[in-house]
Amino acid sequence: MSGEVSQEVLARVVREHAGRLAASLVSLLGDFSAAEDLVQDAVEIALRRWPAEGVPERPDAWLFTVARRRGLDVLRRESTYRAKLAQLTWPAPAPFDERLHLIFTCCHPALSRTAQIALTLRVVCGLSTAQIAAAFVVPESTVAQRITRAKRKIGEAGIPYRVPAEQELPQRVGEVLAVIYLLFNEGYLSSTAERAQARDLVDDAEWLAALLANLLPKDPEVAGLLALIRLHRARGAARFDAGGRLVLLADQDRSLWDRRAITEATGALMRAARAHRRPGPYQVQAAIVACHAEAETFADTDWAQILVLYDMLLHLAPSPVSRLHRAVAVRYTQGAEAALAELKELGRALEDYPLFHATRAELLRDLDRGEEARRCDERALELTANPAQQALLEQRLRWD
């Protein structure tokens, strides 16, 4: 073993190997719930011992040995299961096929979205129930119940442990991508008051997207989501100021952006688009972010192209939030008055969405309607729990 290991290295190793271990145990034992319990026991032991002892040379085999031993200790009541455990040997490194089975099982449409996220984080990413609860700031008992219900549903409904048939893939891949996208959004800008962002969730979202891209290299939407995540992460160093306030895109120090990561992500997106010519929402969203990322200055932003891309996005996946973002592009191509008109129809759908009111405030200020703008910012401040958003809005209100 090596010497002491950082939490970052430890998290990466656990993410890399816990999912494969769970997938192998599910495949070999045919018992999703029992396999997941064994993996979590092994991960928790690793989290206690590896920080001081170091990561073993073969962490996958180490986790498997602990899981096997733990299974023999606690599950002796079932002779058939005990016999299977006793015969298990750790397989040689293999392609990621089994983890693909596991991801699709965790994200089956028969499960609720909250259950899909919790189960994916626990089984595929190797997070403990306590870690998941902390990430989403909910009681640990709530997460435990979600996971228990999900595992019971998998058993009772006979949800198969397999990659969906070809005709099922479009719908099923969509469920997996949606879970990863929600996970990334929560990490990128937290909805809770505890922290502005949750980098561990962003790490997990990128890892899952990269794993899925390796497993499904011909799916352009998978490539699109991975590019979207990486393009956003490339400007992470410029997103917050020293006081923890959000820095708006127009004010960010672009010298802090990771230009190499931007080039790589944009290149991957373009290759996927050219190879498959099958546009989808994640590809279009990534293309929009690429337009921002490739501009040397805010003034260089190609707002006309961004407006076209938002029109395409609304055709593929219409949503009030996308229409709100499109209105920002209208602001820079047609003016604040036209953009404000775009927002009139969104008031009811986005009444409780803080960004709607903050965006409206900016447009009203452009039109010298300061008192109305202030009321909008006050409403946005009431609605957001994110501390970075709150700090930015409070600063605006002080400046009025």
Side-chain angles (χ1 to χ4, degrees):
M1 290 192 180
S2 60
E4 288 193 6
V5 58
S6 71
Q7 288 298 317
E8 181 180 351
V9 171
L10 181 62
R12 186 177 69 248
V13 171
V14 168
R15 277 198 302 271
E16 180 180 353
H17 295 291
R20 181 171 174 239
L21 174 59
S24 295
L25 289 174
V26 170
S27 177
L28 292 165
L29 298 174
D31 188 327
F32 187 96
S33 181
E36 191 270 338
D37 289 340
L38 292 180
V39 172
Q40 285 306 306
D41 285 340
V43 167
E44 288 171 8
I45 293 171
L47 292 174
R48 290 197 304 268
R49 292 175 54 178
W50 288 1
E53 298 177 4
V55 178
E57 290 184 8
R58 287 287 309 281
D60 53 352
W62 190 98
L63 288 167
F64 173 79
T65 300
V66 171
R68 181 179 180 275
R69 186 183 301 126
R70 183 66 171 163
L72 288 170
D73 287 343
V74 303
L75 297 171
R76 297 183 185 281
R77 64 184 180 274
E78 188 176 333
S79 59
T80 302
Y81 185 70
R82 183 172 68 249
K84 287 184 177 181
L85 275 173
Q87 294 170 10
L88 287 183
T89 58
W90 184 233
F96 294 105
D97 293 1
E98 289 182 343
R99 278 188 287 185
L100 179 58
H101 298 174
L102 192 59
I103 290 172
F104 276 103
T105 302
C106 291
C107 295
H108 194 280
L111 305 177
S112 70
R113 184 57 50 79
T114 55
Q116 291 174 3
I117 293 173
L119 200 59
T120 300
L121 286 175
R122 173 143 184 184
V123 181
V124 182
C125 298
L127 299 187
S128 68
T129 304
Q131 288 173 307
I132 300 169
F136 288 94
V137 197
V138 296
E140 189 173 345
S141 59
T142 299
V143 173
Q145 289 171 1
R146 289 174 183 171
I147 292 172
T148 298
R149 284 196 295 267
K151 290 190 289 185
R152 184 184 303 122
K153 180 79 172 183
I154 287 171
E156 292 176 351
I159 293 173
Y161 175 72
R162 63 172 176 83
V163 175
E166 185 174 354
Q167 63 270 22
E168 299 175 87
L169 272 175
Q171 176 189 0
R172 296 294 305 280
V173 171
E175 287 292 328
V176 176
L177 292 176
V179 167
I180 297 173
Y181 183 63
L182 287 175
L183 180 63
F184 169 73
N185 282 342
E186 180 60 32
Y188 193 66
L189 193 65
S190 177
S191 62
T192 70
E194 271 48 9
R195 50 186 173 176
Q197 60 180 339
R199 292 181 181 176
D200 51 344
L201 296 184
V202 174
D203 289 342
D204 286 323
E206 183 179 3
W207 178 78
L208 285 170
L211 176 61
L212 201 60
N214 286 333
L215 297 168
L216 299 173
K218 295 183 179 180
D219 191 308
E221 277 293 83
V222 175
L225 179 57
L226 181 58
L228 175 64
I229 292 171
R230 288 178 170 170
L231 285 165
H232 274 302
R233 296 201 75 174
R235 65 181 182 90
R239 289 184 65 225
F240 298 92
D241 66 15
R245 289 181 294 270
L246 274 173
V247 180
L248 298 179
L249 190 61
D251 303 319
Q252 288 182 10
D253 180 355
R254 298 187 180 215
S255 69
L256 298 175
W257 291 5
D258 187 338
R259 290 292 174 184
R260 179 178 178 180
I262 289 170
T263 300
E264 291 176 352
T266 302
L269 177 65
M270 294 299 293
R271 287 192 296 274
R274 285 195 299 264
H276 304 289
R277 299 189 181 279
R278 184 156 49 91
Y282 296 112
Q283 294 170 77
V284 175
Q285 288 182 72
I288 291 169
V289 179
C291 282
H292 289 295
E294 291 178 327
E296 291 294 330
T297 68
F298 187 76
D300 294 330
T301 305
D302 189 347
W303 288 106
Q305 178 64 23
I306 290 172
L307 188 59
V308 170
L309 288 169
Y310 271 118
D311 286 337
M312 184 182 298
L313 178 61
L314 286 169
H315 174 73
L316 293 168
S319 78
V321 172
S322 293
R323 289 182 64 191
L324 173 64
H325 291 308
R326 182 187 181 277
V328 176
V330 170
R331 175 192 186 188
Y332 290 104
T333 54
Q334 302 171 34
E337 192 75 56
L340 197 60
E342 294 278 327
L343 298 188
K344 285 184 179 179
E345 298 178 9
L346 299 179
R348 180 174 297 179
L350 298 178
E351 173 59 32
D352 296 326
Y353 188 55
L355 186 57
F356 168 76
H357 298 282
T359 301
R360 193 163 183 272
E362 288 193 26
L363 298 175
L364 289 166
R365 283 193 181 88
D366 285 352
L367 299 170
D368 295 322
R369 295 161 62 178
E371 187 56 40
E372 293 176 77
R374 181 177 181 83
R375 289 197 295 270
C376 286
D377 272 339
E378 288 173 342
R379 177 59 177 158
L381 184 59
E382 291 174 359
L383 290 171
T384 185
N386 184 282
Q389 287 182 319
Q390 288 177 338
L392 176 63
L393 291 164
E394 288 167 352
Q395 183 182 64
R396 277 186 185 175
L397 290 168
R398 284 195 300 270
W399 286 350
D400 281 347

